[in-house]
Amino acid sequence: MLKKFLPATLLTLTTALTLGAVPATQAAQAAPAASPASAPASDGRISTAFTLPGAKVYPEGIATDPRNHSVYVGSYADGTVYRARPGQRTAEVFLPAGTDGRHTANGLRVDARGRLWVTDSTSGVSVYDTASRRRLAHFEVAGTGGLFVNDLAITPDGTAYLTDSVRSVVYRVTPAQLAAGSGALLPAYDLSGHLTPSPAGSFALNGIVSDPAGRFLLAVDMTAGDLHRIDLRTGAISRVALQGGDLTHADGLDLAPDGTLRVAHNTTNTLTRWHLSPDGTRARLTRTITDPSLQIPTTLSHTPGRTLVVRSQFDKGGPMGPGTPTSFTIASVSF
């Protein structure tokens, strides 16, 4: 049934989420079935920020424009990108499905100049002008073989870094490459020798963030539950010392200027908050929220006063199994 409306890469994601996260039975327990009319009830900390139009959206990525606070959400099912302006209760289609040959839209970021970066897990990343919706640049992974371009982070100097969940590398796009408009997406860091061995077919690297000063990157291994630090000056790769918990099933990351790291753990319907040391070598768990109304949270975007969380519903007729989804929405969490 998935092949009728979802790209073939969803079948890869199904394997990754069941092997790399939790068994299907546990996933079902973590995300109880909801009625088709509405999301499961929450404890009050979680509300709905806005709705995404469409019956089979299966959203994955989210980004907030720092200039005007518009929010962009990507559909993993068909590559549609939605936009919700401040105050809107229903998002609008910003980039239709299949625009520029895009199959998926998972990792999203808006840089300081208002350019929207959209990863396509099957090929690479495209960059759009948010005023004209014109594609400014496009970069595709070089070579053959399996790949899954997942999430991205942008450092203060405008360089973008992207994770590949299959190849266990981090790609880089520099400002000079962006100005050129297109090219090959090449690895900048290979983490394969640093990751904890995982079951065959499972994903490893997923969410990635940069510290506000652009000194280092943090990339999560969703299967092992580890957080890896990449020093952008020396290239050294190390494991962050986690205190009080781990990052198993971690998907999206958000790092605030005050050192607060927020994490979405997908199949367990959990959000965690961590205090990161100034040098990024240690992180201490400070808060956990587990709630079925999160509906398999994949990514999140924090702005002062609220955290927006993608409710993917991947377990309701999407890549994680059969079922009927509710309306697709973005959650607002006091977190």
Side-chain angles (χ1 to χ4, degrees):
M1 291 297 292
L2 292 176
K3 292 183 179 178
K4 291 184 179 179
F5 61 95
L6 298 178
T9 49
L10 283 186
L11 302 179
T12 303
L13 182 60
T14 305
T15 302
L17 287 172
T18 53
L19 290 179
V22 294
T25 53
Q26 285 181 254
Q29 293 170 0
S35 68
S38 61
S42 73
D43 63 3
R45 292 172 293 185
I46 304 171
S47 59
T48 295
F50 56 87
T51 299
L52 302 170
K56 295 179 179 178
V57 177
Y58 299 105
E60 210 282 341
I62 189 170
T64 301
D65 189 328
R67 306 165 308 153
N68 57 25
H69 304 294
S70 290
V71 179
Y72 297 86
V73 180
S75 166
Y76 189 73
D78 60 16
T80 300
V81 176
Y82 302 88
R83 178 175 62 186
R85 300 178 190 270
Q88 281 187 316
R89 298 296 295 174
T90 301
E92 62 185 356
V93 173
F94 180 73
L95 298 173
T99 303
D100 301 311
R102 190 177 55 255
H103 296 290
T104 72
N106 32 313
L108 273 66
R109 286 288 187 276
V110 180
D111 65 23
R113 294 180 58 181
R115 295 171 298 205
L116 175 65
W117 296 66
V118 183
T119 66
D120 181 334
S121 60
T122 69
S123 59
V125 63
S126 294
V127 186
Y128 293 88
D129 177 78
T130 53
S132 65
R133 310 188 191 199
R134 180 173 63 91
R135 188 167 75 167
L136 304 173
H138 177 62
F139 302 90
E140 292 194 358
V141 176
T144 60
L147 71 149
F148 195 98
V149 184
N150 202 325
D151 207 352
L152 75 157
I154 302 174
T155 53
D157 68 355
T159 302
Y161 295 89
L162 307 93
T163 56
D164 190 316
S165 300
V166 169
R167 299 187 180 187
S168 297
V169 300
V170 173
Y171 303 110
R172 176 173 55 204
V173 177
T174 67
Q177 291 171 316
L178 178 59
S182 64
L185 195 56
L186 300 172
Y189 302 100
D190 186 344
L191 278 73
S192 58
H194 299 265
L195 303 179
T196 301
S198 59
S202 59
F203 280 13
L205 296 181
N206 198 328
I208 186 170
V209 290
S210 164
D211 82 300
R215 298 167 298 161
F216 58 83
L217 303 170
L218 299 176
V220 69
D221 179 344
M222 68 181 296
T223 301
D226 297 325
L227 187 63
H228 295 271
R229 181 186 187 276
I230 303 172
D231 191 303
L232 292 176
R233 183 178 62 86
T234 67
I237 301 171
S238 58
R239 194 170 297 174
V240 176
L242 301 177
Q243 302 172 348
D246 61 40
L247 295 178
T248 306
H249 322 309
D251 199 325
L253 308 179
D254 183 281
L255 181 59
D258 65 358
T260 299
L261 178 67
R262 293 174 172 85
V263 183
H265 301 247
N266 49 38
T267 57
T268 55
N269 288 320
T270 296
L271 304 177
T272 57
R273 193 173 70 192
W274 304 73
H275 176 72
L276 186 71
S277 64
D279 61 1
T281 61
R282 304 179 310 280
R284 175 174 52 86
L285 180 65
T286 61
R287 189 178 180 190
T288 300
I289 293 177
T290 298
D291 195 306
S293 73
L294 292 170
Q295 299 179 296
I296 313 296
T298 51
T299 55
L300 68 172
S301 176
H302 179 76
T303 55
R306 70 173 182 174
T307 301
L308 297 177
V309 181
V310 172
R311 291 164 159 161
S312 75
Q313 296 193 72
F314 279 176
D315 62 334
K316 299 295 186 295
M320 287 178 57
T324 303
T326 68
S327 297
F328 288 96
T329 63
I330 300 302
S332 177
V333 186
S334 177
F335 186 60

